[in-house]
Amino acid sequence: MTSIRTIPTEPIEGQKPGTSGLRKKTPVFQTHHYLENFIQSIWNGIGGVAGKTLVLGGDGRHFNSQAAQVVLRMAAAGGAKKVIVGKRAILSTPAASNLIRKRGADGGIILSASHNPGGPEGDFGVKYNTSNGGPAAEGVTARIFDATKEIAEFHIMESHDVGLRMTDTVTLGEMEIEIVDPVEDYAALMQELFDFDAIRTLFKSGFRMRFDAMHAVTGPYAYTILEEILGAPPGTVINSIPLPDFGGGHPDPNPTWAKTLWDEMMTETGPDFGAASDGDGDRNMIVGRQCYVSPSDSLAVLAANATLVPGYKDGLKGVARSMPTSAAVDRVAEKLGIACYETPTGWKFFGNLLDAGRATLCGEESFGTGSDHVREKDGLWAVLFWLNVLAVKKLSVAELMVAHWAEYGRNYYSRHDYEAVDTEAANGLMDHVRSQLASLPGQSFGPLTVESADEFAYDDPVDGSRSEGQGLRVGFAGGARVVLRLSGTGTEGATLRVYLERLAIDPAGFGLDPQAALADVIAAAEAIAGIKSRTGRDAPDVIT
Ligand code: VG1
Ligand code: CO
């Protein structure tokens, strides 16, 4: 027997969705009615779920299974018609986006805190995606946030846990639950986009690859696609078993957190190609033998070579990058004669451009790359795109990069993160820079002269909505730039992100280490923002 219960509750402070859904420490999500309150607020914010079809899945982190049961019970209580859920409540973020689109669902819930560590003391998160498969736009998250402030009760079905271990179709009350294989539809989509025969031939020729799944959700996806379907040698995919605490690691694919992979790739005898993905499978790091590819450069390379790949053979409608991402892709777009959009940080801002057919490829400096095949960034997609390009070009990653820079110039780029900074100190630093914006143009810092300085605001060209306060940017003559913003995904204090960029046109200067190449830009950022004294830190916590 199942019955619906209505339980009185009160608003909980701070349930404000950030860059990518609501992220909090796992124990916070586990406090009494915390998750229930937020799920009910989502239902209330989107006008209820009665008669709707939803997709549900998560990255498998601690509390994933319990949270999925709560969502199922609350969807049933809200009168949802159907929920399509990944087996064991697992779905990578891009796979969830694909399922929403493919099945024409009204939306979906993704249980993940992405690249943030998991486990009982780690982070948990809930994200709502709309019917286009993408993260809810700011208007929707604002309504959800409003609902969290007004909530007075929530509705939940009383029932036993729904068995999610096998693919099957079951019911919960009146609601149908279809349990699907998390990998199948996604793998089929990848086969439509990429030349699997060419990649198979590449592996047969002795090409060696290492994919670090970081004990996160991409393990089963990468194993099935790379080793089973494409014939990559056994052992190509490492750390492929998803674990609730990601093996105690930090499932963030960058040189700091994917260090084992990094060290192997930096040796002379390392594999030809290395890649890693994050907790929920939407990020990617690309690294060749002794050759790191910055995410901004990766986007530019994919754009420049897109027509080599079956899914993009007819060319790109346009490209889009988040504001702090380097201008490397702008230079490619210019040459291709296509539009290049600059959006605020966060994948939700790409949705309208993709839906309207204005952009085909999108990317962020934070290891996110994707296209109009789904409405999320997609880690494994980027890896397959690279493999397809390498299989056609028959070049090493290093050779490809050198050829790319020779043609377009090199945008040296780095991001310096200062984590868990005192919130007041971080806000003070931002205010300090904000107060200088008007007077900066014309001032010189070492060899760099400020050309422009502003606080980024975005007017969406499709729906006309405006998003303000999206980062402080200082542009210097000759294409150098400093951007400062505070993270919207952290769960402890504030995280200050300092984005640094400089353009080099002369190939003689291409071989520098980015930190050395950016020394003047780093010094200018310090002079303008007083980072060391204001954060009390001598150096960034993470450099990417
Ligand atoms: C970070 C990145 C941003 C990305 C977001 C979600 O946001 O900078 O580019 O879209 O994470 O990525 P913030 O506000 O902390 O800078 V994921 O893979 O965590 O969904
Ligand atoms: Co992610």
Side-chain angles (χ1 to χ4, degrees):
M1 267 300 286
T2 48
S3 66
I4 295 170
R5 284 187 62 195
T6 294
I7 298 176
T9 188
E10 279 177 8
I12 298 172
E13 234 180 272
Q15 293 195 322
K16 185 173 199 260
T19 314
S20 192
L22 183 69
R23 280 186 202 172
K24 297 284 173 194
K25 291 277 165 216
T26 312
V28 172
F29 260 105
Q30 290 172 318
T31 51
H32 193 58
H33 293 174
Y34 192 96
L35 175 67
E36 290 84 346
N37 262 31
F38 190 62
I39 297 297
Q40 186 66 52
S41 300
I42 295 176
W43 293 175
N44 295 349
I46 62 169
V49 289
K52 291 184 178 171
T53 296
L54 300 173
V55 165
L56 168 65
D59 63 12
R61 69 181 62 220
H62 186 78
F63 194 51
N64 187 88
S65 303
Q66 297 94 311
Q69 296 292 340
V70 169
V71 175
L72 287 173
R73 288 191 185 109
M74 292 185 68
K81 181 168 156 237
K82 176 172 179 168
V83 175
I84 302 162
V85 56
K87 196 167 63 179
R88 295 175 192 266
I90 296 287
L91 281 177
S92 77
T93 288
S97 181
N98 179 43
L99 267 181
I100 293 171
R101 296 168 64 74
K102 204 162 173 178
R103 301 299 201 86
D106 297 287
I109 296 279
I110 300 175
L111 305 169
S112 170
S114 189
H115 56 286
N116 296 19
E121 302 305 323
D123 290 352
F124 193 78
V126 173
K127 192 164 74 155
Y128 177 70
N129 283 27
T130 41
S131 62
N132 71 346
E138 280 199 325
V140 178
T141 55
R143 283 198 293 281
I144 294 171
F145 181 46
D146 287 343
T148 68
K149 293 183 269 189
E150 290 157 7
I151 190 164
E153 59 184 33
F154 65 86
H155 313 285
I156 190 158
M157 182 83 75
E158 277 198 317
S159 74
H160 292 298
D161 278 359
V162 181
L164 299 175
R165 288 171 164 272
M166 317 262 250
T167 56
D168 198 359
T169 298
V170 298
T171 55
L172 180 60
E174 303 280 297
M175 184 179 83
E176 184 183 325
I177 298 174
E178 183 184 346
I179 305 149
V180 300
D181 182 286
V183 179
E184 207 172 275
D185 287 12
Y186 179 82
L189 176 64
M190 294 301 115
Q191 300 204 44
E192 282 170 28
L193 296 173
F194 300 111
D195 186 347
F196 271 35
D197 286 336
I199 303 174
R200 235 178 248 123
T201 308
L202 180 70
F203 282 125
K204 268 208 194 102
S205 73
F207 181 90
R208 286 188 306 135
M209 170 179 182
R210 193 74 69 231
F211 182 96
D212 190 347
M214 305 191 85
H215 290 300
V217 81
T218 33
Y221 293 85
Y223 176 78
T224 303
I225 295 173
L226 295 172
E227 295 196 21
E228 288 192 345
I229 304 178
L230 290 168
T236 295
V237 182
I238 57 169
N239 300 323
S240 64
I241 311 286
L243 299 173
D245 66 347
F246 308 117
H250 199 137
D252 195 356
N254 64 39
T256 303
W257 299 116
K259 187 147 187 341
T260 320
L261 173 75
W262 178 265
D263 289 345
E264 188 185 11
M265 294 307 300
M266 288 305 135
T267 62
E268 270 173 36
T269 53
D272 299 287
F273 185 66
S277 193
D278 72 330
D280 61 330
D282 56 0
R283 294 187 176 206
N284 73 92
M285 176 173 77
I286 301 294
V287 48
R289 185 188 301 121
Q290 298 189 304
C291 177
Y292 168 62
V293 182
S294 81
S296 299
D297 275 350
S298 176
L299 174 64
V301 168
L302 299 189
N305 294 288
T307 52
L308 303 178
V309 171
Y312 308 94
K313 65 176 186 334
D314 298 331
L316 306 175
K317 292 170 184 151
V319 290
R321 64 164 171 84
S322 67
M323 182 275 283
T325 303
S326 97
V329 74
D330 302 37
R331 309 180 65 75
V332 176
E334 201 182 335
K335 203 152 193 176
L336 293 174
I338 56 174
C340 178
Y341 297 90
E342 188 176 39
T343 60
T345 296
W347 210 261
K348 59 186 159 200
F349 293 102
F350 294 131
N352 280 345
L353 296 171
L354 295 166
D355 286 348
R358 294 209 192 190
T360 309
L361 295 192
C362 305
E364 295 193 273
E365 50 63 44
S366 54
F367 301 83
T369 336
S371 88
D372 58 1
H373 69 293
V374 290
R375 292 295 180 273
E376 289 276 6
K377 53 190 185 271
D378 189 343
L380 205 45
W381 167 90
V383 173
L384 293 166
F385 203 134
W386 265 91
L387 285 170
N388 197 150
V389 170
L390 293 174
V392 176
K393 286 265 196 185
K394 302 189 170 39
L395 293 176
S396 72
V397 173
E399 288 163 347
L400 187 62
M401 289 319 299
V402 168
H404 184 90
W405 294 329
E407 188 168 352
Y408 300 98
R410 178 170 185 183
N411 290 72
Y412 280 103
Y413 188 84
S414 184
R415 182 175 108 182
H416 291 187
D417 288 340
Y418 298 81
E419 296 177 343
V421 174
D422 176 74
T423 305
E424 249 175 66
N427 288 330
L429 184 150
M430 294 296 281
D431 285 341
H432 171 63
V433 176
R434 206 172 272 121
S435 70
Q436 299 171 63
L437 290 175
S439 61
L440 277 172
Q443 285 190 44
S444 291
F445 298 88
L448 298 171
T449 303
V450 178
E451 223 173 45
S452 60
D454 69 353
E455 180 153 23
F456 182 53
Y458 178 64
D459 292 300
D460 187 304
V462 180
D463 68 14
S465 61
R466 185 174 173 84
S467 305
E468 291 180 332
Q470 297 294 335
L472 305 175
R473 50 182 185 178
V474 181
F476 302 92
R481 190 173 71 143
V482 171
V483 173
L484 296 122
R485 60 178 282 281
L486 299 182
S487 157
T489 59
T491 56
E492 244 179 285
T495 293
L496 170 70
R497 305 205 195 283
V498 185
Y499 309 81
L500 308 143
E501 176 175 1
R502 176 170 86 78
L503 173 65
I505 300 285
D506 180 3
F510 288 172
L512 292 174
D513 165 68
Q515 301 309 316
L518 291 164
D520 292 334
V521 187
I522 295 169
E526 177 59 37
I528 293 168
I531 302 166
K532 284 184 187 161
S533 65
R534 286 176 180 271
T535 61
R537 306 284 170 83
D538 280 343
D541 297 284
V542 178
I543 294 180
T544 51

